[in-house]
Amino acid sequence: MAFVTTGDDGLTRCGWAGVEPETTYHDGEWGFPLDGDDAFFERVALEGFQSGLSWRTILTKRENFRAAFAGFGIEKVARFTDSDVERMLTDAGIVRHRGKIEAVINNARRAEELIESEGSLSAFFWRYEPEAEPEPQSQTTSAESVALSKDLKKRGWKFVGPTTMFALMQASGIVNDHAQDCVIRPRVAKARSSVRRPARTGNA
């Protein structure tokens, strides 16, 4: 059973969300269905930056990341050059990791290609929604996240391993991974019930 914690407000939440800024992120964003190509692109970028670090580090720097990466607009980031990489390597407000910075720019270009071939980045990711919801917070990868990672890597994306993609699926509502006793779980379930799912493909 997933660990939960009870806050000063008397509400029971997922165990990792007991303090700020995690509490606000957990209550208002984590697990709620994500829509929009730029929104998914931002999530992939931030999950990639989080690899090897704590999510708190990313949360506290999130607005700085948005400023550095032009609001994570796919078309804008895809036009970034080496000078933008060098600029960001001097920006103390973000995680200054050359490989991850370059991966975001590369992935913006790959996202443009994917949107051209598939029509929508958002629909592409939602095709990997599992048919059966996993036991909350019982795993760090899934068959679907492995398949998604493999598909993206085949298309030239970087920093999109199975664990990173499962974290994306948790955060974007593709799976509802809130603990069974978490006060937010039913809210996420209600939000997910209204999502218009794309047609599944043979890859998903």
Side-chain angles (χ1 to χ4, degrees):
M1 182 177 293
F3 171 66
V4 294
T5 186
T6 302
D8 293 339
D9 55 8
L11 299 179
T12 302
R13 298 178 173 85
C14 297
W16 57 267
V19 296
E20 294 290 2
E22 287 89 344
T23 301
T24 295
Y25 171 67
H26 168 274
D27 288 5
E29 186 171 354
W30 193 76
F32 286 90
L34 196 63
D35 187 30
D37 291 349
D38 287 348
F40 265 99
F41 175 66
E42 175 182 351
R43 183 68 63 184
V44 173
L46 293 179
E47 294 294 351
F49 270 106
Q50 189 272 333
S51 180
L53 303 171
S54 72
W55 184 243
R56 171 179 284 261
T57 298
I58 304 304
L59 272 182
T60 57
K61 294 177 178 289
R62 191 174 188 180
E63 292 307 316
N64 297 329
F65 276 115
R66 285 173 169 167
F69 283 101
F72 289 104
I74 294 171
E75 293 184 4
K76 292 180 180 178
V77 178
R79 304 296 172 265
F80 277 17
T81 64
D82 289 344
S83 64
D84 291 294
V85 175
E86 297 305 320
R87 166 180 58 82
M88 286 186 280
L89 286 172
T90 66
D91 186 348
I94 67 170
V95 176
R96 292 178 287 184
H97 185 294
R98 181 182 292 274
K100 293 179 179 180
I101 291 169
E102 291 178 342
V104 173
I105 298 170
N106 168 78
N107 291 349
R109 296 166 183 166
R110 304 293 79 77
E112 287 189 322
E113 295 168 356
L114 193 152
I115 291 167
E116 184 175 352
S117 64
E118 302 292 333
S120 165
L121 195 63
S122 176
F124 171 81
F125 281 108
W126 272 100
R127 289 191 190 109
Y128 284 88
E129 179 185 16
E131 293 187 15
E133 201 160 74
E135 181 67 24
Q137 299 176 37
S138 63
Q139 58 198 74
T140 57
T141 64
S142 67
E144 292 80 12
S145 77
V146 171
L148 173 57
S149 172
K150 183 177 180 180
D151 195 350
L152 288 173
K153 288 180 179 178
K154 190 184 342 181
R155 296 169 184 266
W157 291 59
K158 299 179 180 179
F159 280 91
V160 289
T163 300
T164 299
M165 289 302 94
F166 190 71
L168 167 78
M169 295 166 76
Q170 292 172 302
S172 62
I174 294 175
V175 297
N176 184 356
D177 218 31
H178 283 274
Q180 292 289 356
D181 295 331
C182 174
V183 67
I184 304 300
R185 182 176 178 84
R187 301 180 195 175
V188 166
K190 182 178 180 180
R192 279 173 39 80
S193 69
S194 62
V195 173
R196 294 182 61 184
R197 270 71 171 178
R200 290 180 177 273
T201 68
N203 294 326

CSV table of all heavy atoms in Angstrom, one decimal, residues 122-143:
chain,number,residue,atom,x,y,z
A,122,SER,N,0.4,15.5,-28.0
A,122,SER,CA,-0.4,15.1,-26.9
A,122,SER,C,-1.1,13.8,-27.2
A,122,SER,O,-1.1,12.8,-26.4
A,122,SER,CB,-1.5,16.2,-26.7
A,122,SER,OG,-2.4,15.8,-25.7
A,123,ALA,N,-1.7,13.6,-28.4
A,123,ALA,CA,-2.4,12.4,-28.7
A,123,ALA,C,-1.4,11.2,-28.8
A,123,ALA,O,-1.7,10.1,-28.4
A,123,ALA,CB,-3.1,12.5,-30.1
A,124,PHE,N,-0.2,11.5,-29.2
A,124,PHE,CA,0.8,10.4,-29.3
A,124,PHE,C,1.1,9.9,-27.9
A,124,PHE,O,1.1,8.6,-27.7
A,124,PHE,CB,2.1,11.0,-29.9
A,124,PHE,CG,3.3,10.1,-29.8
A,124,PHE,CD1,3.4,9.1,-30.7
A,124,PHE,CD2,4.2,10.2,-28.8
A,124,PHE,CE1,4.5,8.2,-30.7
A,124,PHE,CE2,5.3,9.3,-28.7
A,124,PHE,CZ,5.5,8.3,-29.6
A,125,PHE,N,1.3,10.7,-26.9
A,125,PHE,CA,1.6,10.2,-25.6
A,125,PHE,C,0.4,9.5,-24.9
A,125,PHE,O,0.5,8.5,-24.3
A,125,PHE,CB,2.0,11.4,-24.7
A,125,PHE,CG,3.5,11.8,-24.9
A,125,PHE,CD1,3.8,13.0,-25.5
A,125,PHE,CD2,4.5,11.0,-24.4
A,125,PHE,CE1,5.1,13.3,-25.7
A,125,PHE,CE2,5.8,11.3,-24.6
A,125,PHE,CZ,6.1,12.5,-25.2
A,126,TRP,N,-0.8,10.0,-25.2
A,126,TRP,CA,-2.0,9.4,-24.6
A,126,TRP,C,-2.3,8.0,-25.2
A,126,TRP,O,-3.0,7.2,-24.6
A,126,TRP,CB,-3.2,10.3,-24.8
A,126,TRP,CG,-3.4,11.3,-23.7
A,126,TRP,CD1,-3.0,12.6,-23.6
A,126,TRP,CD2,-3.9,11.0,-22.3
A,126,TRP,NE1,-3.3,13.2,-22.4
A,126,TRP,CE2,-3.8,12.2,-21.6
A,126,TRP,CE3,-4.4,9.9,-21.7
A,126,TRP,CZ2,-4.3,12.3,-20.3
A,126,TRP,CZ3,-4.9,10.0,-20.4
A,126,TRP,CH2,-4.8,11.2,-19.7
A,127,ARG,N,-1.8,7.7,-26.3
A,127,ARG,CA,-1.9,6.4,-26.9
A,127,ARG,C,-1.3,5.3,-26.0
A,127,ARG,O,-1.6,4.1,-26.2
A,127,ARG,CB,-1.4,6.3,-28.3
A,127,ARG,CG,-2.2,7.1,-29.3
A,127,ARG,CD,-1.7,6.8,-30.8
A,127,ARG,NE,-2.3,7.7,-31.7
A,127,ARG,CZ,-1.7,8.6,-32.4
A,127,ARG,NH1,-0.4,8.7,-32.2
A,127,ARG,NH2,-2.3,9.4,-33.2
A,128,TYR,N,-0.4,5.7,-25.2
A,128,TYR,CA,0.4,4.8,-24.3
A,128,TYR,C,-0.3,4.6,-22.9
A,128,TYR,O,0.3,4.0,-22.0
A,128,TYR,CB,1.8,5.2,-24.2
A,128,TYR,CG,2.6,4.9,-25.4
A,128,TYR,CD1,2.7,5.8,-26.5
A,128,TYR,CD2,3.2,3.6,-25.6
A,128,TYR,CE1,3.3,5.5,-27.6
A,128,TYR,CE2,3.9,3.3,-26.7
A,128,TYR,CZ,3.9,4.2,-27.8
A,128,TYR,OH,4.6,3.9,-28.9
A,129,GLU,N,-1.5,5.1,-22.8
A,129,GLU,CA,-2.2,4.9,-21.5
A,129,GLU,C,-2.5,3.4,-21.4
A,129,GLU,O,-3.0,2.7,-22.3
A,129,GLU,CB,-3.6,5.6,-21.6
A,129,GLU,CG,-4.4,5.4,-20.3
A,129,GLU,CD,-5.8,6.1,-20.4
A,129,GLU,OE1,-6.2,6.4,-21.6
A,129,GLU,OE2,-6.4,6.3,-19.4
A,130,PRO,N,-2.2,2.8,-20.2
A,130,PRO,CA,-2.4,1.4,-20.0
A,130,PRO,C,-3.9,1.1,-20.0
A,130,PRO,O,-4.7,1.9,-19.5
A,130,PRO,CB,-1.7,1.1,-18.7
A,130,PRO,CG,-1.7,2.4,-18.0
A,130,PRO,CD,-1.5,3.4,-19.0
A,131,GLU,N,-4.2,-0.1,-20.4
A,131,GLU,CA,-5.6,-0.5,-20.4
A,131,GLU,C,-6.1,-0.8,-18.9
A,131,GLU,O,-7.2,-0.5,-18.6
A,131,GLU,CB,-5.8,-1.8,-21.2
A,131,GLU,CG,-5.6,-1.6,-22.7
A,131,GLU,CD,-6.0,-2.8,-23.5
A,131,GLU,OE1,-6.7,-3.7,-23.0
A,131,GLU,OE2,-5.6,-2.8,-24.7
A,132,ALA,N,-5.2,-1.3,-18.1
A,132,ALA,CA,-5.5,-1.5,-16.7
A,132,ALA,C,-4.6,-0.6,-15.8
A,132,ALA,O,-3.4,-0.5,-16.0
A,132,ALA,CB,-5.2,-3.0,-16.3
A,133,GLU,N,-5.3,0.1,-14.9
A,133,GLU,CA,-4.5,1.1,-14.1
A,133,GLU,C,-3.6,0.3,-13.1
A,133,GLU,O,-4.0,-0.6,-12.5
A,133,GLU,CB,-5.5,1.9,-13.3
A,133,GLU,CG,-4.9,3.2,-12.8
A,133,GLU,CD,-6.0,4.2,-12.5
A,133,GLU,OE1,-6.6,4.1,-11.5
A,133,GLU,OE2,-6.2,5.2,-13.3
A,134,PRO,N,-2.4,0.7,-13.0
A,134,PRO,CA,-1.4,0.0,-12.0
A,134,PRO,C,-1.8,0.3,-10.6
A,134,PRO,O,-2.5,1.3,-10.3
A,134,PRO,CB,-0.1,0.6,-12.4
A,134,PRO,CG,-0.4,2.0,-12.9
A,134,PRO,CD,-1.7,1.9,-13.7
A,135,GLU,N,-1.3,-0.6,-9.7
A,135,GLU,CA,-1.5,-0.4,-8.3
A,135,GLU,C,-0.7,0.9,-7.9
A,135,GLU,O,0.5,1.0,-8.3
A,135,GLU,CB,-0.9,-1.6,-7.5
A,135,GLU,CG,-1.0,-1.5,-6.0
A,135,GLU,CD,-2.4,-1.5,-5.5
A,135,GLU,OE1,-3.3,-2.1,-6.2
A,135,GLU,OE2,-2.6,-1.0,-4.4
A,136,PRO,N,-1.3,1.8,-7.2
A,136,PRO,CA,-0.7,3.1,-7.0
A,136,PRO,C,0.7,3.0,-6.4
A,136,PRO,O,0.9,2.3,-5.4
A,136,PRO,CB,-1.6,3.9,-6.1
A,136,PRO,CG,-3.0,3.3,-6.4
A,136,PRO,CD,-2.7,1.8,-6.7
A,137,GLN,N,1.7,3.7,-7.0
A,137,GLN,CA,3.0,3.9,-6.5
A,137,GLN,C,3.7,2.6,-6.2
A,137,GLN,O,4.4,2.5,-5.2
A,137,GLN,CB,3.0,4.9,-5.3
A,137,GLN,CG,2.5,6.2,-5.7
A,137,GLN,CD,2.3,7.2,-4.5
A,137,GLN,OE1,3.2,7.2,-3.6
A,137,GLN,NE2,1.3,8.0,-4.6
A,138,SER,N,3.4,1.6,-7.0
A,138,SER,CA,4.0,0.3,-6.8
A,138,SER,C,5.1,-0.1,-7.8
A,138,SER,O,5.8,-1.1,-7.7
A,138,SER,CB,2.9,-0.8,-6.9
A,138,SER,OG,2.4,-0.8,-8.2
A,139,GLN,N,5.4,0.9,-8.7
A,139,GLN,CA,6.4,0.6,-9.7
A,139,GLN,C,7.0,1.9,-10.2
A,139,GLN,O,6.5,3.0,-10.0
A,139,GLN,CB,5.7,-0.2,-10.9
A,139,GLN,CG,4.6,0.6,-11.5
A,139,GLN,CD,3.7,-0.3,-12.4
A,139,GLN,OE1,2.9,-1.1,-11.8
A,139,GLN,NE2,3.8,-0.2,-13.7
A,140,THR,N,8.1,1.7,-10.9
A,140,THR,CA,8.8,2.9,-11.5
A,140,THR,C,8.9,2.8,-13.0
A,140,THR,O,9.3,3.8,-13.6
A,140,THR,CB,10.2,3.0,-10.9
A,140,THR,OG1,11.0,1.8,-11.2
A,140,THR,CG2,10.2,3.3,-9.4
A,141,THR,N,8.5,1.7,-13.5
A,141,THR,CA,8.4,1.6,-15.0
A,141,THR,C,7.2,0.7,-15.2
A,141,THR,O,6.6,0.1,-14.3
A,141,THR,CB,9.6,0.9,-15.6
A,141,THR,OG1,9.7,-0.5,-15.1
A,141,THR,CG2,10.9,1.7,-15.3
A,142,SER,N,6.8,0.6,-16.5
A,142,SER,CA,5.7,-0.2,-16.9
A,142,SER,C,5.9,-0.7,-18.3
A,142,SER,O,6.8,-0.2,-19.0
A,142,SER,CB,4.3,0.5,-16.8
A,142,SER,OG,4.3,1.5,-17.8
A,143,ALA,N,5.2,-1.7,-18.8
A,143,ALA,CA,5.3,-2.1,-20.1
A,143,ALA,C,5.1,-1.0,-21.1
A,143,ALA,O,5.8,-0.9,-22.1
A,143,ALA,CB,4.3,-3.3,-20.4
